[in-house]
Amino acid sequence: AASARSICLPAGSSCNGDHQRQLDDLDDRNGGEHANHRGVQRHHRAGDAGIKYIVNIGTDLTTTQQAIDLAEKYDRMFATAGIHPHDAREAGGESLVQLEEIARHPKVVAMGEIGLDYYRNLSPGEIQRDIFRQQIRIAHRLNKPLVIHDRDAHPDILQILKEERAG
């Protein structure tokens, strides 16, 4: 039996411009009829290439909502909901409440991109670990898998997953 092929496209500002351009091309809000036509063509090309599903990765509240909005337009498209470790310092109580609410959307198939990034360290490690734990707990409550970002943080990722019974 043939296995399903899928592609994940990061929706967040931390990804390279080409992925964001691809998302913009699929989203007719960013360029009117011409962009919508390109987006429909890309969507059909993905299907023609045997790609059954596309998962757009949310990296903050804004990109999560953008990924959901786009997923609502196409049956084969889905989204994740998450706060990237680079943005952990800006996350907190209310944003996590909003994230959990957004993650309940039926097109959201996982929590992510979440985790730890000790290479760039754009958010303090302690805050990254706290936000990572809280998002794992949201995933538990919603019965969603995780899409994990792990950069130079492997021992801490494994320890937190073990402690949160997510591994």
Side-chain angles (χ1 to χ4, degrees):
S3 62
R5 290 181 61 197
S6 64
I7 184 170
C8 294
L9 298 174
S13 58
S14 64
C15 69
N16 72 41
D18 189 57
H19 287 302
Q20 190 61 50
R21 182 185 52 74
Q22 290 171 5
L23 289 173
D24 289 345
D25 284 351
L26 286 170
D27 186 356
D28 60 322
R29 292 178 302 163
N30 292 316
E33 194 172 313
H34 183 66
N36 187 42
H37 180 69
R38 285 191 322 262
V40 169
Q41 287 179 329
R42 284 177 189 257
H43 179 69
H44 288 299
R45 280 198 324 252
D48 292 345
I51 296 171
K52 286 184 84 172
Y53 305 103
I54 298 171
V55 179
N56 293 310
I57 307 297
T59 60
D60 59 25
L61 291 174
T62 300
T63 59
T64 293
Q65 188 59 58
Q66 289 170 344
I68 292 168
D69 292 346
L70 196 53
E72 288 177 332
K73 294 179 181 183
Y74 302 101
D75 289 340
R76 82 173 80 235
M77 232 178 251
F78 296 89
T80 69
I83 298 172
H84 191 280
H86 290 337
D87 298 315
R89 71 182 177 285
E90 297 168 12
E94 184 58 34
S95 62
L96 291 169
V97 169
Q98 290 176 312
L99 181 67
E100 184 165 355
E101 188 59 36
I102 291 170
R104 293 178 187 280
H105 191 284
K107 288 289 240 172
V108 173
V109 295
M111 293 297 299
E113 178 175 350
I114 67 174
L116 304 173
D117 190 317
Y118 294 164
Y119 178 76
R120 293 209 175 135
N121 246 353
L122 297 179
S123 291
E126 183 177 328
I127 293 172
Q128 288 186 49
R129 289 185 292 277
D130 179 56
I131 297 302
F132 181 41
R133 286 178 185 280
Q134 290 186 56
Q135 291 180 96
I136 291 170
R137 292 172 189 157
I138 292 170
H140 276 306
R141 288 193 293 274
L142 301 180
N143 195 31
K144 303 226 185 232
L146 305 174
V147 175
I148 297 177
H149 178 100
D150 176 356
R151 188 153 188 203
D152 292 349
H154 199 65
D156 283 354
I157 291 278
L158 292 176
Q159 183 64 37
I160 290 170
L161 290 173
K162 181 179 176 182
E163 291 171 2
E164 296 295 330
R165 301 189 193 294

